[in-house]
Amino acid sequence: MVVQFMAKSSVEDDSRGGRDGDAAGVARHPYDFLVSGPRNLSSPNWRDLIHSSWRDPNYKRMVIACFIQAAYLLELDRQEKRTEENGLAPNWWKPFKYKLTRTLIDERDGSIYGAILEWDRSAAMSDLVPVRPRGAPKAVLALRGTLLKSPTIRRDLQDDLRFLARESLKGSVRFAGALEALQSAVARFGSTNVCIGGHSLGAGFALQIGKASAMQGVFVDCHLFNPPSVSLGMSLRIIGEKASSVVRRMKVVARSGEVAAATEEAKASETDGSSTEAKRWVPNLYVNNSDYICCYYNHTAGVGADGSPDAVKPTPRNGDAAAKLFVASKGPQRFLEAHGLQQWWSDDMELQLALSHGKLIDRQLRSLYAVSQPHPSSKA
């Protein structure tokens, strides 16, 4: 799986030294927060005590994306031997009054693949914010995707190939480490005060540890940016769907057959053991249809004649959503940019809630719906 590991800078000539240029003309790093970070995202202030910015889904999406960028930069800072004083990563969480409390390290190569960020009360107090704004999580687990750098590429691609072959990441040491970190944060703060975010491969891990937690009845807020949808199993299913579509078109009774199949599928979904409690966990997925790695989340009925996902409409069942899937209606069209992280904190990003049930996400969460039971320790 080839993955664009970082968001590109929105500044064409970073020698100007930041968004508006430095008076001294000092060049800034292209991943400096002042260069490629969000332009109009405010820091928490006393007004958030009255009307919290965190209650705005767009604000939350943008901040969580910034935290994931920080996870990428923690590893780049390590590789390039930058210290805490001159590192790039801290500037991606400090404006939002969070602090780094834990880094997740891959024991195979010593690389940083994630981080726990917690609300920084001391920093907030200095800006006259005595309490945490409503909706702001106490802790965020941020997981990066693939870094195409020599110190990390071997282990990153190993997990990419693991997903490609098995459509599962449970055998990775990163899965175990991220799940333990999530469980530790939930034990400290309660499930409603913890959030998971991941990009690309990191989104794959976030989805699977979120599901593992939900199967124990512990539901946490989950935000998945460009989650991988391409695997060998998925490719075989697509081929099978295309072949079946050709056969159906050749049959006189194709239409009645499709209706009967749809009816059976609906009946199966209604008797799949799903309960209202099991469906409380609703991950948020953010995809760009120009990104072929994640675009197959945005379809319900296979592929079109040209191999592209069919157009879909919202298809809620029983009033419960399997996932909230947001599609970029105005965003990058070229693959590398479409798979990048920067688009998700861009000021001109336009999203549409595409569907609540998709074929792929339904299949991935089916076991959760069948066996999940509420857990008594899931505290507020």
Side-chain angles (χ1 to χ4, degrees):
M1 185 188 304
V2 180
V3 181
Q4 174 70 1
F5 62 91
M6 290 286 290
K8 290 189 176 181
S9 169
S10 60
V11 177
E12 294 181 0
D13 183 5
D14 54 84
S15 63
R16 294 182 230 169
R19 199 166 283 143
D20 298 317
D22 280 342
V26 178
R28 290 186 181 273
H29 194 285
Y31 298 141
D32 191 296
F33 183 80
L34 293 177
V35 175
S36 57
R39 297 174 181 271
N40 298 310
L41 204 59
S42 61
S43 299
N45 54 56
W46 64 269
R47 294 182 181 85
D48 282 284
L49 301 178
I50 302 171
H51 183 72
S52 173
S53 299
W54 279 94
R55 306 293 286 182
D56 179 356
N58 289 323
Y59 182 90
K60 176 180 282 191
R61 164 179 53 81
M62 296 169 76
V63 176
I64 297 301
C66 288
F67 289 169
I68 298 169
Q69 182 80 330
Y72 277 108
L73 291 172
L74 281 169
E75 172 56 21
L76 287 184
D77 284 346
R78 183 191 73 89
Q79 292 181 17
E80 298 171 11
K81 303 187 185 305
R82 284 188 286 265
T83 65
E84 183 177 352
E85 288 70 27
N86 66 357
L88 296 170
N91 290 330
W92 288 83
W93 64 70
K94 285 184 177 180
F96 309 110
K97 310 308 176 190
Y98 279 76
K99 61 183 177 181
L100 177 68
T101 59
R102 179 178 176 182
T103 55
L104 277 60
I105 299 175
D106 190 325
E107 62 187 29
R108 299 170 299 181
D109 59 4
S111 65
I112 297 171
Y113 64 92
I116 294 284
L117 301 172
E118 296 179 11
W119 175 255
D120 190 345
R121 184 178 180 184
S122 298
M125 287 287 289
S126 66
D127 281 351
L128 305 179
V129 185
V131 296
R132 181 171 49 90
R134 289 178 300 169
K138 288 184 178 180
V140 178
L141 170 58
L143 301 170
R144 68 166 176 85
T146 303
L147 269 170
L148 299 180
K149 294 279 191 175
S150 56
T152 58
I153 190 171
R154 179 183 176 188
R155 297 307 184 186
D156 287 359
L157 290 181
Q158 182 176 342
D159 283 331
D160 286 327
L161 293 173
R162 185 190 305 274
F163 182 87
L164 181 64
R166 306 176 186 175
E167 209 166 318
S168 174
L169 295 164
K170 289 187 177 180
S172 171
V173 297
R174 295 183 183 181
F175 177 89
L179 181 59
E180 184 278 325
L182 175 63
Q183 292 171 337
S184 177
V186 168
R188 290 182 60 199
F189 302 115
S191 60
T192 59
N193 293 315
V194 177
C195 176
I196 319 171
H199 172 246
S200 189
L201 176 63
F205 278 110
L207 176 62
Q208 294 194 7
I209 66 170
K211 176 184 172 181
S213 179
M215 291 184 74
Q216 301 300 316
V218 180
F219 305 95
V220 295
D221 191 21
C222 186
H223 296 263
L224 312 170
F225 300 90
N226 302 91
S229 64
V230 179
S231 67
L232 292 178
M234 179 66 180
S235 299
L236 292 174
R237 281 188 290 273
I238 291 172
I239 294 172
E241 288 171 354
K242 292 178 70 175
S244 298
S245 178
V246 171
V247 172
R248 284 196 300 267
R249 284 197 295 266
M250 297 175 62
K251 293 182 179 180
V252 177
V253 293
R255 180 60 182 171
S256 60
E258 290 172 359
V259 171
T263 302
E264 290 301 317
E265 183 178 357
K267 289 180 179 178
S269 67
E270 293 173 359
T271 59
D272 197 24
S274 58
S275 65
T276 302
E277 289 296 325
K279 291 188 179 182
R280 282 169 49 199
W281 188 64
V282 182
N284 300 274
L285 284 70
Y286 306 92
V287 306
N288 185 319
N289 280 336
S290 297
D291 171 18
Y292 64 79
I293 289 177
C294 70
C295 66
Y296 287 108
Y297 275 107
N298 188 25
H299 77 118
T300 58
V303 295
D306 61 351
S308 61
D310 288 339
V312 297
K313 296 180 180 180
T315 56
R317 294 199 294 265
N318 302 326
D320 294 312
K324 293 181 180 178
L325 190 143
F326 299 93
V327 178
S329 57
K330 178 184 177 183
Q333 302 299 310
R334 298 172 58 187
F335 165 67
L336 291 182
E337 288 77 14
H339 190 68
L341 182 58
Q342 180 174 345
Q343 63 184 308
W344 303 114
W345 67 69
S346 175
D347 295 325
D348 59 355
M349 169 60 68
E350 295 181 6
L351 297 177
Q352 292 181 344
L353 182 60
L355 52 89
S356 57
H357 281 268
K359 203 168 191 178
L360 180 56
I361 193 67
D362 273 2
R363 189 180 73 253
Q364 290 179 340
L365 300 184
R366 188 175 298 129
S367 60
L368 166 64
Y369 297 158
V371 303
S372 176
Q373 297 294 332
H375 195 282
S377 65
S378 181
K379 56 186 178 180

